[in-house]
Amino acid sequence: MIKSYWNKGGKQKRITGFVILLLLVLLFFFRDDYQPILLFLRKYIFVLLVSALVLFFGLRKFRNSARVGSRLGVLALLIIFFGALYVVGWHYKMYDYMKTYNVFNSLNKVEIDELPLTQNERIQPLRNVFSMANESVGETKDVSLPHLVRVDGQNKWTMAIQPSEKYVMQRISDNTEEVFSVSSTTPFPRFSNENRIDVTFSIGESLKFSRNTYNAVVQRFNPWMLFNHEPSDTFYMKNDKNEWVQVVSLIKWKGFFFPYPSFGGVMIIENGEHDFNDYMERILIGKGTYVSPDDIKNYPFLMKQNTLSEKVSQLEAESLKFLGGFSDPLPWNMKTAVKIPVMPKDQNQQPYVTDFNFSGSNSDAYNGLYHWFGLEPVGDERTSLSYSVFVPADGTDKLYYYDHATRKQGYAGVSAMPLKVKESKKEYDWTASTPVEFRPYIKDIAGRKRMFFLGTISSISSTDAQQFDGSATPDLVLIDSEYRDVIWIDVKHPSTWDQEVYNQLNEAWRSSEGIGYFYNEKPKDEDIMEQEIDSLMRIPKVEDNTEKINALQRQLDSLKAVGGQ
């Protein structure tokens, strides 16, 4: 049709050329709008190709069949094929099953023999921080979702103060002009003064058109990346020049048969005012500096940092259900199959970004931020802790896991914690409050490493399930995952937490384990006292000169007596 129209004359040729040129311009300038279609083709390329081939040969067979019965048979086979494809692939989630299995095979898995210690414990859960931040901004401003990152050597919640999505004109004309940076280790996060940083980004998560972070990053992709990469979480942190930047985590899709997501590096967007050159750059080639996973080592501020998309780490942790083999997670097996427990009431889900200290362990894991998962058996009634999973938050190509189930430790998992907390204080109004975000708390107490879960009591709005109370002094609990005991701790004095735990549980530990003493307590047990006596007896004795001194003293007294006569 196009060829016949082209041959009609010069006018038609000019119109055809103009239309083709216009289509090319639109394809270039609006690539951020149609990129989700390219990603869809990339994610389901194998299934789409198989479906297209079956449909092509089926329809050709249908058209070449002269008999009505043959045609009906072909149609029936096509309906059965595509019906089975939907039921097996999507209803029973076998497509996701195969995708997760590909993730498992691609992982660099490292089993560790000893749990790391936690450090720099964060007090407030994510939803509390988000609520308190929103309480500190005006009507026309929104706060981006907080992320835990390292800023100036400290773990801090950072989020952008950006134009509200309710007001379109501000999203078109305004910039992101402030960033919250509040400590994660204090019960009193302050959203004012020095924690409210003046910094201007002409690119923002809530801004419109080419100034939107997603659009600017996609426009920066080369043609191949348009099919394989997609932007994910946006983090705010300082670069090696001590300047604030946006770091957009990228997801890269790999594989042909059942493609799977992986860490695809980051895109760094620098701060700065909006001008004409900035506008032209955004329109033509987007904004940002792409850093591949292999090049992150050249950017010190990205190392041991939190830049990994949670979508990627969640799938990596979930893939450990295949540790028992390909068929183990199938419904008739499930001997070692595990899941990521889903926490109720719209609270923050796993992973919980936590600061771990791997010093002294048998691994090469760094000390810093990790995405932590507590995996549990698949059944709803099973709430034991099967695996602790530590995914490096900076995208390092390794996954560390500790097998609780094989060691028969019998620890309770995250999903078992809320009811234990509620049972420990029945006088609470648990219809208005709920314990949330049970992150790991691992310390060396009374002779060995002990695993607890640190939870926060939050109040939830009766009208908005995602509106959590932003109290500056929340109630905190520690739950011993082995003994299931709940310890209510003083949020204002973190240095006393281990002592409070010991005071409540030491007798249970002594009777059950025959353990010794708290790490900074003077030993009191008889066997410990005997060890002290033995150690004293092993101290080298100084030569005793008492008799010689006494003899000399007697001689001196005799001389004094003779001189006095």
Side-chain angles (χ1 to χ4, degrees):
M1 184 177 68
I2 296 176
K3 184 178 180 180
S4 61
Y5 183 78
W6 174 273
N7 293 329
K8 284 184 178 180
K11 181 180 178 181
Q12 286 75 14
K13 290 181 180 179
R14 288 193 298 271
I15 293 175
T16 303
F18 174 77
V19 171
I20 293 175
L21 180 62
L22 179 62
L23 288 176
L24 291 175
V25 170
L26 292 176
L27 285 174
F28 178 77
F29 285 103
F30 292 94
R31 55 193 184 275
D32 54 309
D33 293 314
Y34 64 79
Q35 199 245 356
I37 300 175
L38 302 180
L39 278 176
F40 177 83
L41 296 175
R42 175 69 180 91
K43 294 176 185 178
Y44 302 101
I45 184 172
F46 174 67
V47 174
L48 291 173
L49 286 176
V50 171
S51 300
L53 288 174
V54 171
L55 186 62
F56 172 78
F57 288 109
L59 291 178
R60 190 173 72 168
K61 180 68 175 176
F62 176 84
R63 295 179 63 183
N64 293 336
S65 298
R67 298 173 57 187
V68 176
S70 298
R71 291 191 171 191
L72 291 176
V74 171
L75 287 177
L77 288 175
L78 288 175
I79 292 173
I80 291 173
F81 172 79
F82 286 105
L85 185 66
Y86 170 78
V87 171
V88 175
W90 271 259
H91 181 71
Y92 288 107
K93 300 182 178 180
M94 282 303 296
Y95 184 87
D96 290 337
Y97 188 92
M98 295 301 301
K99 179 177 68 177
T100 309
Y101 184 65
N102 282 344
V103 172
F104 176 79
N105 288 330
S106 69
L107 280 179
N108 185 4
K109 301 175 288 293
V110 178
E111 183 176 4
I112 56 177
D113 296 329
E114 189 176 359
L115 286 171
L117 298 175
T118 56
Q119 58 187 7
N120 303 316
E121 269 72 26
R122 56 186 177 90
I123 307 299
Q124 296 281 2
L126 182 144
R127 285 293 173 184
N128 276 20
V129 173
F130 190 50
S131 295
M132 286 187 282
N134 277 301
E135 294 168 358
S136 305
V137 298
E139 169 63 23
T140 60
K141 299 294 183 182
D142 277 345
V143 177
S144 64
L145 193 67
H147 288 287
L148 188 67
V149 299
R150 191 184 69 253
V151 178
D152 296 330
Q154 299 180 14
N155 296 336
K156 294 190 176 183
W157 293 107
T158 62
M159 62 219 86
I161 305 173
Q162 56 195 8
S164 174
E165 295 187 359
K166 299 178 183 177
Y167 301 93
V168 178
M169 289 307 300
Q170 281 87 347
R171 297 173 65 190
I172 295 175
S173 60
D174 292 352
N175 295 318
T176 298
E177 297 181 344
E178 291 180 293
V179 170
F180 278 134
S181 177
V182 297
S183 173
S184 65
T185 58
T186 176
F188 314 105
R190 297 171 58 240
F191 294 84
S192 59
N193 299 332
E194 68 275 6
N195 294 335
R196 192 163 178 159
I197 314 300
D198 291 326
V199 56
T200 299
F201 288 100
S202 61
I203 306 293
E205 297 173 73
S206 69
L207 302 184
K208 294 285 285 184
F209 307 125
S210 63
R211 302 176 65 210
N212 181 268
T213 300
Y214 174 89
N215 294 345
V217 169
V218 172
Q219 292 278 58
R220 198 69 165 183
F221 289 164
N222 61 44
W224 179 246
M225 293 177 70
L226 288 173
F227 285 89
N228 294 281
H229 290 73
E230 63 176 308
S232 185
D233 304 326
T234 301
F235 305 87
Y236 296 85
M237 61 187 68
K238 287 185 177 182
N239 63 11
D240 295 321
K241 298 179 181 178
N242 206 37
E243 296 177 351
W244 283 93
V245 294
Q246 286 185 55
V247 176
V248 182
S249 181
L250 303 180
I251 297 175
K252 181 179 180 180
W253 290 84
K254 294 182 177 180
F256 177 77
F257 300 101
F258 309 102
Y260 61 93
S262 64
F263 179 60
V266 299
M267 194 74 77
I268 303 172
I269 301 176
E270 297 181 353
N271 65 71
E273 291 281 353
H274 169 71
D275 55 25
F276 181 76
N277 292 333
D278 182 59
Y279 173 78
M280 293 302 298
E281 182 181 4
R282 289 199 315 269
I283 292 295
L284 294 175
I285 59 173
K287 289 286 287 185
T289 302
Y290 173 62
V291 181
S292 69
D294 294 333
D295 292 335
I296 283 182
K297 62 180 180 295
N298 300 325
Y299 295 80
F301 80 97
L302 294 176
M303 299 177 65
K304 303 181 183 181
Q305 184 61 274
N306 182 19
T307 56
L308 178 65
S309 169
E310 293 187 358
K311 294 180 182 178
V312 173
S313 64
Q314 285 172 347
L315 200 57
E316 289 180 350
E318 183 185 349
S319 72
L320 290 188
K321 65 185 179 182
F322 291 104
L323 281 171
F326 172 77
S327 62
D328 190 71
L330 293 174
W332 53 85
N333 287 330
M334 292 193 176
K335 293 181 180 179
T336 61
V338 289
K339 69 176 187 301
I340 301 173
V342 177
M343 302 306 291
K345 294 191 177 181
D346 295 316
Q347 60 184 280
N348 183 34
Q349 302 296 330
Q350 295 184 42
Y352 298 141
V353 181
T354 308
D355 197 341
F356 288 99
N357 185 341
F358 279 84
S359 298
S361 67
N362 62 331
S363 68
D364 59 351
Y366 65 78
N367 298 335
L369 298 177
Y370 287 79
H371 290 191
W372 178 86
F373 297 85
L375 303 184
E376 301 176 8
V378 174
D380 293 335
E381 70 281 2
R382 299 290 182 262
T383 58
S384 63
L385 182 62
S386 298
Y387 297 97
S388 284
V389 182
F390 311 88
V391 183
D394 65 353
T396 299
D397 184 26
K398 280 190 178 180
L399 178 146
Y400 304 91
Y401 70 96
Y402 182 86
D403 190 343
H404 298 277
T406 301
R407 291 174 171 80
K408 298 181 180 181
Q409 292 179 327
Y411 288 179
V414 172
S415 58
M417 297 298 113
L419 289 180
K420 298 186 183 303
V421 175
K422 292 178 181 180
E423 192 277 336
S424 69
K425 278 202 175 182
K426 299 181 178 66
E427 65 273 19
Y428 251 84
D429 180 8
W430 294 114
T431 59
S433 300
T434 188
V436 300
E437 200 171 301
F438 291 93
R439 49 267 189 208
Y441 181 86
I442 306 171
K443 296 295 179 181
D444 197 350
I445 305 176
R448 67 179 178 88
K449 289 183 179 178
R450 300 183 184 274
M451 185 170 187
F452 305 85
F453 289 106
L454 175 62
T456 307
I457 311 302
S458 293
S459 296
I460 303 177
S461 170
S462 58
T463 57
D464 184 0
Q466 293 188 344
Q467 180 68 36
F468 281 66
D469 172 68
S471 172
T473 54
D475 288 332
L476 290 185
V477 290
L478 282 172
I479 305 97
D480 190 321
S481 58
E482 183 176 10
Y483 288 79
R484 275 75 166 172
D485 199 21
V486 179
I487 305 99
W488 292 77
I489 54 178
D490 186 353
V491 64
K492 298 179 181 179
H493 300 92
S495 61
T496 66
W497 291 357
D498 291 357
Q499 183 68 58
E500 292 181 51
V501 169
Y502 179 77
N503 291 340
Q504 182 164 327
L505 287 173
N506 76 88
E507 292 189 12
W509 290 342
R510 291 174 190 273
S511 62
S512 177
E513 304 173 22
I515 53 93
Y517 51 89
F518 185 62
Y519 66 88
N520 63 355
E521 176 194 25
K522 288 186 177 181
K524 295 180 180 178
D525 290 352
E526 292 182 1
D527 55 339
I528 303 299
M529 295 300 292
E530 289 177 1
Q531 293 177 8
E532 281 191 341
I533 295 172
D534 292 340
S535 64
L536 289 173
M537 294 178 65
R538 287 194 295 270
I539 298 176
K541 292 184 178 181
V542 179
E543 185 179 354
D544 191 355
N545 296 318
T546 304
E547 292 297 331
K548 294 181 180 179
I549 293 173
N550 290 337
L552 291 173
Q553 185 65 43
R554 287 194 294 270
Q555 293 178 11
L556 181 60
D557 292 341
S558 300
L559 292 173
K560 287 181 178 180
V562 172
Q565 290 178 353

